Amino acid sequence: MTGSSCWVGLVLGIYLMIISGFQYSFASWSSDLKDLFQYSNTQVNTVGTLLNAGSWAGIVGGMVMDRFGCRVTCLGAAVVCVAGFVPLTLIMAETNPRPSMALTGVLAFVAGQGLAWAYSATLKTGIVNFSPEIRGKVVGCLVCFFGLSGGIFSQIYSSVFASEIKPFFFFMSVLCPGLCVVGGLLLPNGEPSESEQHGRHDRLTLLYGLGVLTIVAVVVLSFVEQFTSASKSALGWVLIATLLLYPLTLIGVPLTKGSNAEEQERAAERDEEGGAWGMLTSKSFVLIFAIFMLLIGPGISLLNNLSPLVISRDDLVVGWYYVKKHAPEGHKMPNYGEVNSLVTLFAAFNTLARMGIGLCADRFKRSISTVSWLIPIAAMMLIGQGTLAFADLPVLYFGVSVAGMAYGGVFCILPILVSEVFGMAAFSTVWSTLNLAPTAGSFLFSAWMASAFQEHYMSSKFVCIADDGHKFHKPCPPDGCVPSVATYSDCQKGGDWNKYCYGTDCSSYSLLINTASCLVALALVLWLRRHLSHQSGAAKRPDDLEQHLIRPSNGQPRVWNGRKSAASQEPDSPMADPGSPVATQPPVPLNSSTSAEPGHVRHLTSELAYDCVP
């Protein structure tokens, strides 16, 4: 049996990661969805939360990945994406009668589930396909494109599709299932050979370079209309052309590889899921779950509510009527275009953090434990959320950038940490279960808390906003389609207008609660760090372990526990006797689930990939 090269799998995985992060673009088209279906703030936030929930709650997809491999998982992802995106596109094409929020939310959840399956297949395949010495770089490369997805789709939506939500969703209903089918056909289903793993690391550097080029293209697109007269539509196609450059890194790479004995070992690994329950009930898992929820929940809340955040801080008049596009004189929103800029900025710093932290985690892995990287990451999210609580519109750029860096850092470090603490045998199941944390955080911090504050303060201070001045219902009243005075006490019901909360109070209190959540998460990170340090043994830290290694003649390192290993004994030594207990005891694989607490030995040695003997 043959499979694709690991480098082919990595490039294809980049495209799958880009579509898997589609939910990050929600802020760019959420207000258009709200206007199209005449939803309230709470209703549109609920739809966004259900899209996030589907994207994160990938337990079924993770179990399928661990049991059947990436190809079956990708093909399943294609089927689920069709079941979600195609009906969404159809109900957008015919809005009379208006679809219920429940129907739209369920379809958004199903679409998100398809993306979650693709994410599970891509992440685990990327981790097992490359040696531990470059695993941080590979994970950083994959998750950086997952984070950049929001900026990519936001700019494609505003430039190529001119912020028209119907053709945009038709595009997504074709793109997502199509890429998943290609993944099902081409992703490598077994581990690569040793020479393939270690060959041509310059390709990884080239992929990082193309990632930086994509970030530049996305950021330039987000500001082009503010500072130049260039056509944004044309530059949108330039962005798409940039994304099509990634396969060029495969020049000279064999597209297929021969099978090897390790594929059979992986098949056996998939059957070793009996230890997963012990992992999911361990203290390490509970702490990681809580940290994940308390850091990412505020991040998702911020990202989903960037549009109402900009509106509430814009230079508007309470009770006045405004139009987003094609506005009559005196009714144009002065800074609404900054929503796309902030979404792009969040995605850009999100991506840079994933790249940078992935590289640093590899570079300093001997001196800085993986869990320790969560300390500055939690501090950055705390600073970003706290800054945004009472910031004016210009200061939003700083707060969103810092929060974006922290958000990306979490998604870079946690997969590496999970692979170290729990091993790879049930990685997709454990990681998919952990992804319930951002799902819960999204419901708590976005759909419930942020929406509740907006609805509460909107009763006293609000503005009325229409999506497009060209789409007003005709005929217009005698005073024009846009009311000329600010004395209206309410927006028209079921017409062209939508009510938005205005003023700092609309978001400041929810952002302060987000800040407190990040402070609690920082305390839990310190607890987790202490717990893992004790768990790995009071005797030695990971960077001291090298002093206790003996590399026998067969090249396989062994840990010395105070005695000489069997492979290093003199020929006449009793311990070198093939029948002695030490010499005959088989090595313990690092990804076995036989330790008393998952990660007891693996946490020390997972990056070194050493076998251990008693």
Short mmCIF file of all heavy atoms in Angstrom, two decimals, residues 98 275 316 384 408 411 551 569 608:
data_model
loop_
_atom_site.label_atom_id
_atom_site.label_comp_id
_atom_site.label_asym_id
_atom_site.label_seq_id
_atom_site.Cartn_x
_atom_site.Cartn_y
_atom_site.Cartn_z
N ARG A 98 -38.98 34.22 6.48
CA ARG A 98 -37.70 34.33 7.17
C ARG A 98 -37.42 33.06 7.96
O ARG A 98 -38.27 32.60 8.72
CB ARG A 98 -37.72 35.54 8.11
CG ARG A 98 -36.46 35.72 8.93
CD ARG A 98 -36.53 37.02 9.69
NE ARG A 98 -37.59 37.01 10.68
CZ ARG A 98 -37.40 36.68 11.96
NH1 ARG A 98 -36.21 36.31 12.40
NH2 ARG A 98 -38.40 36.70 12.80
N GLY A 275 -7.35 3.42 27.54
CA GLY A 275 -6.78 4.32 28.52
C GLY A 275 -7.28 5.73 28.40
O GLY A 275 -6.89 6.59 29.18
N LEU A 316 -21.04 58.39 16.59
CA LEU A 316 -22.43 58.42 16.13
C LEU A 316 -23.28 59.24 17.08
O LEU A 316 -22.84 59.63 18.16
CB LEU A 316 -22.98 56.99 16.02
CG LEU A 316 -22.16 56.00 15.18
CD1 LEU A 316 -22.80 54.62 15.24
CD2 LEU A 316 -22.01 56.48 13.75
N GLY A 384 -4.85 42.46 26.88
CA GLY A 384 -5.67 42.83 25.74
C GLY A 384 -7.12 43.09 26.11
O GLY A 384 -7.71 44.11 25.73
N GLY A 408 -3.68 33.08 19.47
CA GLY A 408 -2.86 32.19 18.65
C GLY A 408 -1.89 31.37 19.46
O GLY A 408 -1.64 30.20 19.17
N PHE A 411 -3.48 28.18 20.94
CA PHE A 411 -3.71 27.11 19.98
C PHE A 411 -2.42 26.53 19.41
O PHE A 411 -2.45 25.47 18.79
CB PHE A 411 -4.60 27.60 18.84
CG PHE A 411 -6.05 27.58 19.21
CD1 PHE A 411 -6.70 28.75 19.57
CD2 PHE A 411 -6.76 26.40 19.22
CE1 PHE A 411 -8.03 28.73 19.93
CE2 PHE A 411 -8.10 26.37 19.57
CZ PHE A 411 -8.74 27.54 19.93
N ARG A 551 23.52 5.90 25.50
CA ARG A 551 23.18 5.51 24.14
C ARG A 551 23.96 4.25 23.79
O ARG A 551 25.16 4.29 23.57
CB ARG A 551 23.52 6.62 23.17
CG ARG A 551 23.05 6.36 21.75
CD ARG A 551 23.34 7.56 20.87
NE ARG A 551 22.57 8.71 21.28
CZ ARG A 551 21.32 8.95 20.89
NH1 ARG A 551 20.72 8.10 20.09
NH2 ARG A 551 20.69 10.01 21.27
N GLN A 569 26.72 -2.66 30.04
CA GLN A 569 27.48 -3.45 30.98
C GLN A 569 28.65 -4.15 30.30
O GLN A 569 28.65 -4.40 29.10
CB GLN A 569 26.55 -4.52 31.60
CG GLN A 569 25.48 -3.93 32.51
CD GLN A 569 26.07 -3.26 33.72
OE1 GLN A 569 27.03 -3.76 34.28
NE2 GLN A 569 25.53 -2.13 34.11
N LEU A 608 12.07 14.03 23.42
CA LEU A 608 13.30 13.31 23.12
C LEU A 608 13.02 11.96 22.50
O LEU A 608 13.89 11.36 21.87
CB LEU A 608 14.09 13.11 24.43
CG LEU A 608 14.48 14.41 25.15
CD1 LEU A 608 15.10 14.07 26.49
CD2 LEU A 608 15.45 15.22 24.31
#
